[in-house]
Amino acid sequence: MDDALFKAIADPTRRAILDELHAKDGQTLFELCKRLITRHGIESSRQAISQHLAVLEEAGLVTTRRDGRYKFHDLDLTPMRMILERWPIPKE
């Protein structure tokens, strides 16, 4: 899982997606695209953002759920916590 996680967070667009999901969990693809344009100036296509979300989902950082015809994306920080447990930050 580490390789998928590090690959996922290596891309600036994917980090911006994580920032937006951290700010507001449970967003649709449309909402994410709109926030990426307005807050980060990222004007990627919906298909490109969808592909980025797939990479984040493969890394375990994003989960999805359906409600009717809408698909919502949620942030899951479990893999990041595992990284911190692997290399804990020493107390000063």
Side-chain angles (χ1 to χ4, degrees):
M1 176 174 57
D2 287 350
D3 289 343
L5 176 62
F6 289 118
K7 176 185 170 189
I9 60 175
D11 184 272
T13 299
R14 290 193 283 268
R15 289 194 303 269
I17 292 170
L18 294 175
D19 287 343
E20 290 308 315
L21 288 175
H22 188 264
K24 182 179 181 273
D25 219 7
Q27 296 186 60
T28 64
L29 176 60
F30 178 79
E31 291 173 301
L32 276 170
C33 289
K34 186 176 173 183
R35 290 175 70 106
L36 289 170
I37 291 170
T38 58
R39 294 176 169 228
H40 301 273
I42 298 172
E43 297 189 25
S44 298
S45 67
R46 288 178 63 186
Q47 183 180 11
I49 299 302
S50 181
Q51 290 173 345
H52 284 300
L53 284 166
V55 172
L56 292 169
E57 192 171 356
E58 182 181 322
L61 291 166
V62 170
T63 59
T64 60
R65 57 187 160 84
R66 286 201 172 271
D67 187 5
R69 61 182 216 179
Y70 296 102
K71 183 177 180 182
F72 296 93
H73 300 85
D74 296 297
L75 179 64
D76 185 351
L77 294 174
T78 303
M80 299 299 257
R81 286 189 187 99
M82 293 170 59
I83 294 293
L84 288 175
E85 288 172 4
R86 182 172 174 179
W87 295 299
I89 299 170
K91 294 182 181 182
E92 294 180 19

Coordinates of all heavy atoms in Angstrom, one line a residue:
M1 N 0.8 -1.2 0.0 CA 0.0 0.0 0.0 C 0.9 1.3 0.0 O 0.5 2.3 -0.5 CB -0.9 0.0 1.2 CG -1.7 1.3 1.3 SD -3.0 1.4 2.5 CE -2.1 1.2 4.0
D2 N 2.1 1.2 0.6 CA 2.9 2.4 0.6 C 3.1 3.0 -0.7 O 3.1 4.2 -0.9 CB 4.2 2.1 1.3 CG 4.1 1.9 2.8 OD1 3.0 2.2 3.3 OD2 5.1 1.4 3.4
D3 N 3.5 2.2 -1.7 CA 3.7 2.7 -3.1 C 2.5 3.5 -3.6 O 2.7 4.6 -4.2 CB 4.2 1.6 -4.0 CG 5.5 1.1 -3.7 OD1 6.3 1.8 -3.0 OD2 5.9 0.0 -4.2
A4 N 1.4 2.9 -3.5 CA 0.1 3.6 -4.0 C -0.1 4.9 -3.2 O -0.5 5.9 -3.8 CB -1.1 2.6 -3.9
L5 N 0.2 4.9 -1.9 CA -0.1 6.1 -1.1 C 0.9 7.2 -1.5 O 0.5 8.3 -1.8 CB 0.1 5.7 0.4 CG 0.0 6.9 1.3 CD1 -1.4 7.5 1.3 CD2 0.3 6.4 2.7
F6 N 2.2 6.9 -1.6 CA 3.1 7.9 -2.0 C 2.9 8.4 -3.4 O 3.1 9.6 -3.7 CB 4.6 7.4 -1.8 CG 4.9 7.2 -0.4 CD1 5.3 6.0 0.2 CD2 4.9 8.3 0.5 CE1 5.6 5.9 1.5 CE2 5.2 8.2 1.8 CZ 5.5 7.0 2.4
K7 N 2.5 7.5 -4.3 CA 2.2 7.9 -5.7 C 1.0 8.9 -5.7 O 1.0 9.9 -6.4 CB 1.9 6.7 -6.6 CG 1.4 7.0 -8.0 CD 1.0 5.8 -8.7 CE 0.3 6.1 -10.0 NZ -0.3 5.0 -10.6
A8 N 0.0 8.6 -4.8 CA -1.2 9.4 -4.8 C -0.9 10.8 -4.3 O -1.4 11.8 -4.8 CB -2.2 8.7 -3.9
I9 N 0.0 10.9 -3.3 CA 0.2 12.2 -2.7 C 1.3 13.0 -3.4 O 1.6 14.1 -3.1 CB 0.4 12.2 -1.2 CG1 1.7 11.3 -0.8 CG2 -0.8 11.7 -0.5 CD1 2.0 11.3 0.6
A10 N 2.0 12.3 -4.4 CA 3.1 13.0 -5.1 C 2.5 14.0 -6.1 O 3.3 14.9 -6.5 CB 3.9 12.0 -5.9
D11 N 1.3 13.9 -6.5 CA 0.7 14.8 -7.5 C 0.1 16.0 -6.9 O -0.8 15.9 -6.0 CB -0.3 14.0 -8.4 CG -0.8 14.9 -9.5 OD1 -1.8 15.6 -9.3 OD2 -0.2 14.8 -10.6
P12 N 0.4 17.3 -7.3 CA -0.2 18.5 -6.7 C -1.7 18.6 -6.9 O -2.4 19.1 -6.0 CB 0.5 19.6 -7.4 CG 1.2 19.1 -8.6 CD 1.4 17.6 -8.4
T13 N -2.3 18.1 -8.0 CA -3.7 18.1 -8.2 C -4.4 17.2 -7.2 O -5.4 17.5 -6.6 CB -4.1 17.7 -9.6 OG1 -3.5 18.6 -10.5 CG2 -5.6 17.7 -9.8
R14 N -3.8 16.0 -6.9 CA -4.4 15.1 -6.0 C -4.3 15.7 -4.5 O -5.2 15.5 -3.7 CB -3.7 13.7 -6.1 CG -4.1 13.0 -7.4 CD -3.8 11.5 -7.3 NE -2.4 11.3 -7.6 CZ -1.8 11.1 -8.8 NH1 -2.6 11.1 -9.8 NH2 -0.5 10.9 -8.9
R15 N -3.2 16.4 -4.2 CA -3.1 17.0 -2.9 C -4.2 18.1 -2.8 O -4.8 18.2 -1.7 CB -1.7 17.6 -2.7 CG -0.6 16.5 -2.5 CD 0.7 17.0 -2.0 NE 1.2 18.1 -2.8 CZ 2.1 17.9 -3.8 NH1 2.5 16.7 -4.1 NH2 2.6 18.9 -4.4
A16 N -4.4 18.8 -3.8 CA -5.5 19.8 -3.8 C -6.9 19.2 -3.6 O -7.7 19.7 -2.8 CB -5.5 20.7 -5.1
I17 N -7.1 18.0 -4.2 CA -8.4 17.3 -4.0 C -8.5 16.9 -2.5 O -9.5 17.1 -1.9 CB -8.4 16.1 -4.9 CG1 -8.6 16.5 -6.4 CG2 -9.6 15.2 -4.5 CD1 -8.4 15.4 -7.4
L18 N -7.4 16.4 -1.9 CA -7.4 16.0 -0.5 C -7.6 17.3 0.4 O -8.4 17.2 1.3 CB -6.1 15.4 -0.1 CG -5.8 14.0 -0.8 CD1 -4.4 13.5 -0.4 CD2 -6.8 13.0 -0.4
D19 N -7.0 18.4 0.0 CA -7.3 19.6 0.7 C -8.8 20.0 0.7 O -9.4 20.3 1.8 CB -6.5 20.8 0.2 CG -5.0 20.8 0.4 OD1 -4.6 20.0 1.4 OD2 -4.3 21.4 -0.3
E20 N -9.4 19.8 -0.4 CA -10.8 20.2 -0.5 C -11.7 19.2 0.2 O -12.7 19.6 0.8 CB -11.2 20.3 -2.0 CG -10.6 21.5 -2.7 CD -10.9 22.8 -2.0 OE1 -12.0 23.0 -1.5 OE2 -10.0 23.6 -1.8
L21 N -11.4 17.9 0.2 CA -12.1 17.0 0.9 C -11.9 17.1 2.4 O -12.8 16.9 3.2 CB -11.8 15.5 0.5 CG -12.3 15.1 -0.9 CD1 -11.8 13.8 -1.3 CD2 -13.8 15.2 -0.9
H22 N -10.7 17.6 2.8 CA -10.5 17.9 4.2 C -11.3 19.1 4.7 O -11.9 19.1 5.8 CB -9.0 18.1 4.5 CG -8.6 18.2 5.9 ND1 -8.5 19.4 6.6 CD2 -8.4 17.3 6.8 CE1 -8.2 19.2 7.8 NE2 -8.1 17.9 8.0
A23 N -11.5 20.1 3.8 CA -12.3 21.3 4.1 C -13.7 20.9 4.2 O -14.5 21.5 5.0 CB -12.0 22.4 3.1
K24 N -14.2 20.1 3.3 CA -15.6 19.7 3.2 C -15.7 18.3 2.7 O -15.5 18.0 1.5 CB -16.4 20.7 2.3 CG -17.8 20.4 2.2 CD -18.5 21.4 1.3 CE -20.0 21.1 1.2 NZ -20.4 20.2 0.2
D25 N -16.0 17.4 3.6 CA -16.1 16.0 3.2 C -17.5 15.7 2.5 O -18.4 16.5 2.6 CB -16.1 15.1 4.5 CG -15.3 13.9 4.3 OD1 -14.7 13.7 3.3 OD2 -15.3 13.1 5.2
G26 N -17.5 14.6 1.7 CA -18.8 14.2 1.1 C -19.1 15.1 -0.1 O -20.3 15.5 -0.2
Q27 N -18.2 15.3 -1.0 CA -18.5 16.1 -2.2 C -18.7 15.2 -3.4 O -18.0 14.2 -3.6 CB -17.3 17.1 -2.4 CG -17.1 18.1 -1.4 CD -16.1 19.1 -1.7 OE1 -16.2 19.8 -2.8 NE2 -15.0 19.2 -1.0
T28 N -19.5 15.7 -4.3 CA -19.6 15.1 -5.6 C -18.5 15.5 -6.5 O -17.8 16.5 -6.2 CB -21.0 15.4 -6.3 OG1 -20.9 16.9 -6.6 CG2 -22.1 15.1 -5.4
L29 N -18.3 14.8 -7.7 CA -17.3 15.2 -8.6 C -17.5 16.6 -9.1 O -16.6 17.4 -9.2 CB -17.4 14.2 -9.8 CG -16.4 14.5 -11.0 CD1 -15.0 14.5 -10.5 CD2 -16.6 13.5 -12.1
F30 N -18.8 17.0 -9.4 CA -19.1 18.4 -9.8 C -18.6 19.4 -8.8 O -18.0 20.4 -9.1 CB -20.6 18.5 -10.1 CG -21.0 19.9 -10.5 CD1 -20.8 20.3 -11.8 CD2 -21.6 20.8 -9.6 CE1 -21.2 21.6 -12.2 CE2 -21.9 22.0 -10.0 CZ -21.7 22.5 -11.3
E31 N -19.0 19.2 -7.5 CA -18.6 20.1 -6.5 C -17.0 20.2 -6.4 O -16.5 21.3 -6.2 CB -19.1 19.6 -5.1 CG -20.6 19.7 -5.0 CD -21.1 19.1 -3.7 OE1 -20.8 17.9 -3.5 OE2 -21.7 19.8 -2.8
L32 N -16.4 19.1 -6.4 CA -14.9 19.1 -6.4 C -14.3 19.9 -7.5 O -13.4 20.7 -7.3 CB -14.3 17.7 -6.4 CG -14.3 17.0 -5.0 CD1 -14.0 15.5 -5.2 CD2 -13.3 17.6 -4.1
C33 N -14.8 19.7 -8.7 CA -14.3 20.4 -9.9 C -14.5 21.9 -9.7 O -13.5 22.7 -10.0 CB -15.0 19.9 -11.2 SG -14.5 18.2 -11.7
K34 N -15.6 22.3 -9.2 CA -15.9 23.7 -9.0 C -15.0 24.3 -8.0 O -14.4 25.4 -8.2 CB -17.4 23.9 -8.6 CG -17.8 25.3 -8.5 CD -19.3 25.3 -8.2 CE -19.7 26.7 -7.9 NZ -21.1 26.8 -7.5
R35 N -14.8 23.6 -6.9 CA -13.9 24.1 -5.8 C -12.4 24.1 -6.3 O -11.7 25.1 -5.9 CB -14.0 23.3 -4.6 CG -15.4 23.5 -3.9 CD -15.5 22.5 -2.7 NE -14.6 22.8 -1.6 CZ -15.1 23.4 -0.5 NH1 -16.3 23.7 -0.3 NH2 -14.2 23.6 0.5
L36 N -12.0 23.2 -7.1 CA -10.6 23.2 -7.6 C -10.4 24.4 -8.5 O -9.3 25.0 -8.5 CB -10.3 21.9 -8.3 CG -10.2 20.6 -7.4 CD1 -10.1 19.4 -8.3 CD2 -9.0 20.7 -6.5
I37 N -11.4 24.7 -9.3 CA -11.2 25.9 -10.2 C -11.2 27.2 -9.4 O -10.3 28.0 -9.6 CB -12.4 25.9 -11.2 CG1 -12.3 24.8 -12.2 CG2 -12.4 27.3 -11.9 CD1 -13.5 24.6 -13.1
T38 N -12.1 27.3 -8.5 CA -12.2 28.6 -7.7 C -11.2 28.8 -6.7 O -10.7 29.9 -6.5 CB -13.6 28.8 -7.1 OG1 -13.8 27.7 -6.2 CG2 -14.7 28.8 -8.1
R39 N -10.8 27.7 -6.0 CA -9.8 27.9 -4.9 C -8.4 27.6 -5.3 O -7.4 28.1 -4.7 CB -10.2 26.9 -3.8 CG -11.5 27.3 -3.2 CD -11.8 26.3 -2.1 NE -13.0 26.8 -1.3 CZ -13.0 26.8 0.0 NH1 -12.0 26.2 0.7 NH2 -14.0 27.2 0.6
H40 N -8.1 26.8 -6.4 CA -6.8 26.4 -6.7 C -6.4 26.8 -8.2 O -5.2 26.6 -8.6 CB -6.6 24.9 -6.5 CG -6.8 24.5 -5.1 ND1 -5.9 24.5 -4.1 CD2 -8.0 24.0 -4.5 CE1 -6.4 24.0 -3.0 NE2 -7.7 23.7 -3.2
G41 N -7.3 27.3 -8.9 CA -7.1 27.6 -10.3 C -6.8 26.4 -11.2 O -6.2 26.4 -12.3
I42 N -7.2 25.2 -10.7 CA -7.0 23.9 -11.5 C -8.2 23.7 -12.4 O -9.3 23.5 -11.9 CB -6.8 22.7 -10.5 CG1 -5.6 23.0 -9.6 CG2 -6.8 21.4 -11.3 CD1 -5.4 22.0 -8.5
E43 N -8.0 23.8 -13.7 CA -9.1 23.7 -14.6 C -9.0 22.4 -15.4 O -9.1 22.4 -16.6 CB -9.1 24.9 -15.5 CG -9.4 26.2 -14.8 CD -9.7 27.3 -15.7 OE1 -10.1 27.1 -16.9 OE2 -9.4 28.5 -15.3
S44 N -8.8 21.3 -14.7 CA -8.7 20.0 -15.4 C -10.2 19.5 -15.7 O -11.1 20.0 -15.1 CB -8.1 18.9 -14.4 OG -6.8 19.3 -14.1
S45 N -10.3 18.6 -16.7 CA -11.6 18.1 -17.1 C -12.2 17.2 -15.9 O -11.4 16.8 -15.1 CB -11.5 17.3 -18.3 OG -10.7 16.1 -18.1
R46 N -13.5 17.0 -16.0 CA -14.1 16.2 -15.0 C -13.5 14.8 -15.1 O -13.3 14.1 -14.1 CB -15.6 16.1 -15.2 CG -16.3 17.4 -14.8 CD -17.7 17.4 -15.0 NE -18.4 16.4 -14.2 CZ -19.6 16.1 -14.3 NH1 -20.4 16.7 -15.1 NH2 -20.1 15.1 -13.6
Q47 N -13.2 14.3 -16.3 CA -12.6 13.0 -16.5 C -11.3 12.9 -15.8 O -10.9 11.9 -15.2 CB -12.5 12.7 -18.0 CG -12.0 11.3 -18.3 CD -11.9 11.0 -19.7 OE1 -12.0 11.8 -20.6 NE2 -11.6 9.7 -20.0
A48 N -10.5 14.0 -16.0 CA -9.1 14.0 -15.4 C -9.3 13.9 -13.8 O -8.5 13.2 -13.2 CB -8.3 15.2 -15.8
I49 N -10.2 14.7 -13.3 CA -10.4 14.7 -11.8 C -10.9 13.3 -11.4 O -10.5 12.8 -10.3 CB -11.3 15.8 -11.4 CG1 -10.7 17.2 -11.8 CG2 -11.6 15.8 -9.9 CD1 -9.4 17.5 -11.2
S50 N -11.7 12.8 -12.2 CA -12.2 11.4 -11.9 C -11.1 10.4 -11.8 O -11.1 9.5 -10.9 CB -13.3 11.0 -12.9 OG -13.8 9.7 -12.6
Q51 N -10.2 10.5 -12.7 CA -9.0 9.6 -12.7 C -8.1 9.9 -11.5 O -7.6 8.9 -10.9 CB -8.2 9.8 -14.0 CG -8.9 9.2 -15.2 CD -8.2 9.5 -16.5 OE1 -7.3 10.4 -16.6 NE2 -8.6 8.9 -17.6
H52 N -8.0 11.1 -11.1 CA -7.2 11.4 -9.9 C -7.9 10.8 -8.7 O -7.3 10.3 -7.8 CB -7.0 12.9 -9.7 CG -6.0 13.6 -10.6 ND1 -4.7 13.2 -10.6 CD2 -6.1 14.6 -11.5 CE1 -4.0 13.9 -11.4 NE2 -4.9 14.8 -12.0
L53 N -9.2 10.9 -8.6 CA -10.0 10.3 -7.5 C -9.8 8.8 -7.5 O -9.7 8.2 -6.4 CB -11.5 10.7 -7.6 CG -11.8 12.1 -7.2 CD1 -13.2 12.5 -7.7 CD2 -11.7 12.3 -5.7
A54 N -9.7 8.2 -8.6 CA -9.5 6.7 -8.7 C -8.2 6.4 -8.1 O -8.0 5.4 -7.3 CB -9.6 6.2 -10.1
V55 N -7.1 7.2 -8.3 CA -5.8 6.9 -7.8 C -5.9 7.1 -6.2 O -5.3 6.3 -5.5 CB -4.8 7.9 -8.4 CG1 -3.4 7.7 -7.6 CG2 -4.6 7.6 -9.9
L56 N -6.6 8.1 -5.8 CA -6.7 8.4 -4.3 C -7.5 7.3 -3.7 O -7.2 6.8 -2.6 CB -7.4 9.7 -4.1 CG -6.5 10.9 -4.5 CD1 -7.4 12.2 -4.5 CD2 -5.3 11.1 -3.6
E57 N -8.5 6.8 -4.4 CA -9.3 5.7 -3.8 C -8.5 4.4 -3.7 O -8.5 3.6 -2.8 CB -10.6 5.5 -4.7 CG -11.6 4.5 -4.0 CD -12.9 4.5 -4.8 OE1 -13.1 5.2 -5.8 OE2 -13.7 3.7 -4.4
E58 N -7.7 4.1 -4.8 CA -6.8 2.9 -4.8 C -5.8 3.0 -3.6 O -5.5 2.0 -3.0 CB -6.0 2.9 -6.1 CG -5.1 1.6 -6.2 CD -4.4 1.6 -7.5 OE1 -5.0 1.9 -8.5 OE2 -3.2 1.2 -7.5
A59 N -5.4 4.2 -3.2 CA -4.4 4.4 -2.1 C -5.1 4.3 -0.8 O -4.5 4.4 0.3 CB -3.7 5.7 -2.3
G60 N -6.5 4.3 -0.8 CA -7.2 4.2 0.5 C -7.5 5.6 1.1 O -8.0 5.6 2.2
L61 N -7.2 6.7 0.4 CA -7.4 8.0 0.9 C -8.8 8.6 0.7 O -9.1 9.5 1.3 CB -6.3 9.0 0.3 CG -4.9 8.7 0.7 CD1 -3.9 9.4 -0.2 CD2 -4.7 9.1 2.2
V62 N -9.5 8.0 -0.3 CA -10.8 8.4 -0.6 C -11.7 7.2 -0.7 O -11.4 6.2 -1.2 CB -10.8 9.2 -1.9 CG1 -12.2 9.5 -2.4 CG2 -10.0 10.5 -1.8
T63 N -12.9 7.4 -0.1 CA -14.0 6.4 -0.2 C -15.1 7.0 -0.9 O -15.3 8.3 -0.9 CB -14.4 5.8 1.2 OG1 -14.9 6.9 2.0 CG2 -13.2 5.2 1.9
T64 N -16.0 6.2 -1.5 CA -17.1 6.7 -2.2 C -18.4 6.1 -1.7 O -18.3 4.9 -1.2 CB -17.0 6.5 -3.7 OG1 -16.9 5.1 -4.0 CG2 -15.8 7.3 -4.3
R65 N -19.5 6.8 -1.8 CA -20.8 6.2 -1.5 C -21.8 6.8 -2.5 O -21.6 7.9 -2.9 CB -21.2 6.5 0.0 CG -21.2 8.0 0.3 CD -21.4 8.2 1.8 NE -20.9 9.5 2.1 CZ -21.6 10.7 2.0 NH1 -22.9 10.6 1.5 NH2 -21.1 11.8 2.3
R66 N -22.8 6.0 -2.7 CA -23.8 6.5 -3.7 C -25.1 6.8 -2.9 O -25.4 6.1 -1.9 CB -24.2 5.5 -4.7 CG -23.1 5.4 -5.8 CD -23.6 4.7 -7.0 NE -22.6 4.8 -8.1 CZ -22.5 5.8 -8.9 NH1 -23.4 6.8 -8.9 NH2 -21.6 5.8 -9.9
D67 N -25.8 7.9 -3.3 CA -27.1 8.2 -2.8 C -27.9 8.7 -4.0 O -27.7 9.8 -4.5 CB -27.0 9.4 -1.7 CG -28.3 9.6 -1.0 OD1 -29.3 8.9 -1.3 OD2 -28.3 10.6 -0.3
G68 N -28.8 7.8 -4.4 CA -29.5 8.1 -5.6 C -28.6 8.1 -6.8 O -27.8 7.2 -7.0
R69 N -28.7 9.2 -7.6 CA -27.8 9.3 -8.8 C -26.5 10.0 -8.5 O -25.7 10.2 -9.4 CB -28.6 9.9 -9.9 CG -29.0 11.3 -9.6 CD -29.8 11.9 -10.7 NE -29.5 13.3 -10.8 CZ -29.9 14.2 -11.7 NH1 -30.7 13.7 -12.6 NH2 -29.6 15.4 -11.7
Y70 N -26.3 10.4 -7.2 CA -25.1 11.1 -6.9 C -24.1 10.2 -6.2 O -24.4 9.3 -5.5 CB -25.4 12.2 -5.9 CG -26.3 13.3 -6.5 CD1 -27.7 13.3 -6.2 CD2 -25.8 14.2 -7.4 CE1 -28.5 14.3 -6.8 CE2 -26.6 15.2 -8.0 CZ -28.0 15.2 -7.7 OH -28.8 16.1 -8.3
K71 N -22.8 10.5 -6.5 CA -21.7 9.7 -5.9 C -20.9 10.7 -5.1 O -20.4 11.7 -5.6 CB -20.8 9.1 -7.0 CG -19.7 8.3 -6.5 CD -19.0 7.6 -7.7 CE -17.8 6.8 -7.3 NZ -17.1 6.2 -8.4
F72 N -20.8 10.4 -3.8 CA -20.1 11.3 -2.9 C -18.7 10.8 -2.5 O -18.5 9.5 -2.4 CB -20.9 11.5 -1.6 CG -22.2 12.2 -1.9 CD1 -23.4 11.4 -2.1 CD2 -22.3 13.6 -1.9 CE1 -24.6 12.0 -2.3 CE2 -23.5 14.2 -2.1 CZ -24.7 13.4 -2.4
H73 N -17.7 11.7 -2.4 CA -16.4 11.3 -2.1 C -16.0 11.8 -0.7 O -16.3 12.9 -0.3 CB -15.4 11.9 -3.1 CG -15.7 11.5 -4.5 ND1 -16.6 12.1 -5.3 CD2 -15.2 10.5 -5.2 CE1 -16.7 11.5 -6.5 NE2 -15.8 10.5 -6.4
D74 N -15.5 10.9 0.1 CA -15.1 11.2 1.5 C -13.6 10.9 1.7 O -13.0 10.0 1.1 CB -15.9 10.3 2.5 CG -17.4 10.6 2.4 OD1 -17.8 11.7 2.7 OD2 -18.1 9.7 2.0
L75 N -13.0 11.7 2.5 CA -11.6 11.6 2.9 C -11.4 10.5 3.9 O -12.2 10.5 4.9 CB -11.1 12.9 3.4 CG -9.6 13.0 3.8 CD1 -8.7 12.7 2.6 CD2 -9.3 14.4 4.4
D76 N -10.4 9.7 3.8 CA -10.1 8.7 4.8 C -8.6 8.8 5.1 O -7.8 8.5 4.3 CB -10.4 7.2 4.2 CG -10.2 6.2 5.3 OD1 -9.6 6.5 6.4 OD2 -10.5 5.0 5.0
L77 N -8.3 9.3 6.3 CA -6.9 9.5 6.7 C -6.2 8.3 7.3 O -5.1 8.4 7.7 CB -6.9 10.7 7.6 CG -7.3 12.1 7.0 CD1 -7.4 13.2 8.1 CD2 -6.4 12.4 5.9
T78 N -6.9 7.2 7.3 CA -6.3 6.0 7.9 C -4.9 5.7 7.3 O -3.9 5.4 8.1 CB -7.2 4.8 7.7 OG1 -8.5 5.1 8.3 CG2 -6.6 3.5 8.3
P79 N -4.7 5.7 6.0 CA -3.3 5.4 5.5 C -2.3 6.5 6.0 O -1.1 6.1 6.2 CB -3.5 5.5 4.0 CG -4.9 5.3 3.7 CD -5.6 5.9 4.9
M80 N -2.7 7.7 6.1 CA -1.8 8.7 6.6 C -1.4 8.4 8.1 O -0.2 8.6 8.5 CB -2.4 10.1 6.5 CG -2.7 10.5 5.1 SD -1.2 10.5 4.0 CE -1.0 12.3 3.9
R81 N -2.4 8.0 8.9 CA -2.1 7.7 10.3 C -1.1 6.5 10.3 O -0.2 6.5 11.2 CB -3.4 7.3 11.0 CG -4.2 8.5 11.3 CD -5.4 8.2 12.2 NE -6.3 9.3 12.3 CZ -7.4 9.5 11.6 NH1 -7.8 8.6 10.8 NH2 -8.1 10.6 11.8
M82 N -1.2 5.6 9.4 CA -0.3 4.4 9.4 C 1.1 4.9 9.1 O 2.0 4.3 9.7 CB -0.8 3.4 8.3 CG -2.1 2.7 8.7 SD -2.9 1.7 7.4 CE -1.6 0.5 7.1
I83 N 1.2 5.9 8.3 CA 2.6 6.4 8.0 C 3.2 7.0 9.2 O 4.3 6.8 9.6 CB 2.5 7.5 6.8 CG1 2.1 6.8 5.5 CG2 3.8 8.3 6.7 CD1 3.1 5.9 5.0
L84 N 2.3 7.8 10.0 CA 2.8 8.4 11.2 C 3.1 7.4 12.3 O 4.0 7.6 13.1 CB 1.8 9.4 11.7 CG 1.7 10.7 10.9 CD1 0.5 11.6 11.5 CD2 3.0 11.5 10.9
E85 N 2.4 6.3 12.3 CA 2.7 5.2 13.2 C 4.0 4.5 12.9 O 4.8 4.1 13.7 CB 1.6 4.2 13.3 CG 0.4 4.8 14.0 CD -0.8 3.9 13.8 OE1 -0.7 2.7 13.3 OE2 -1.9 4.3 14.3
R86 N 4.3 4.5 11.5 CA 5.5 3.8 11.1 C 6.7 4.7 11.4 O 7.8 4.1 11.8 CB 5.4 3.6 9.6 CG 6.6 2.9 9.0 CD 6.4 2.6 7.5 NE 7.6 2.0 6.9 CZ 7.6 1.6 5.7 NH1 6.5 1.7 4.9 NH2 8.7 1.2 5.1
W87 N 6.6 6.0 11.2 CA 7.7 6.9 11.5 C 7.2 8.0 12.5 O 7.0 9.1 12.1 CB 8.2 7.6 10.2 CG 8.9 6.6 9.3 CD1 9.9 5.8 9.5 CD2 8.4 6.3 7.9 NE1 10.2 5.1 8.4 CE2 9.3 5.4 7.4 CE3 7.4 6.8 7.1 CZ2 9.2 4.9 6.1 CZ3 7.3 6.3 5.9 CH2 8.1 5.3 5.4
P88 N 7.0 7.6 13.7 CA 6.5 8.6 14.7 C 7.4 9.8 14.8 O 8.6 9.7 14.7 CB 6.4 7.9 16.0 CG 7.1 6.6 15.8 CD 7.4 6.4 14.3
I89 N 6.8 11.0 15.0 CA 7.5 12.2 15.2 C 8.0 12.3 16.7 O 7.2 12.2 17.6 CB 6.6 13.4 14.9 CG1 6.2 13.3 13.4 CG2 7.4 14.7 15.2 CD1 5.1 14.3 13.0
P90 N 9.3 12.4 16.9 CA 9.8 12.4 18.2 C 9.4 13.7 18.9 O 9.3 14.8 18.3 CB 11.3 12.4 18.1 CG 11.6 12.5 16.7 CD 10.4 12.4 15.9
K91 N 9.1 13.6 20.2 CA 8.8 14.8 21.0 C 10.0 15.6 21.3 O 11.1 15.0 21.6 CB 8.1 14.4 22.3 CG 6.7 13.7 22.0 CD 6.0 13.4 23.3 CE 4.7 12.7 22.9 NZ 4.0 12.3 24.1
E92 N 9.9 16.9 21.3 CA 11.1 17.7 21.6 C 11.1 18.1 23.0 O 10.2 18.2 23.7 CB 11.0 19.0 20.7 CG 11.2 18.6 19.2 CD 11.1 19.8 18.3 OE1 11.3 21.0 18.8 OE2 10.9 19.7 17.1

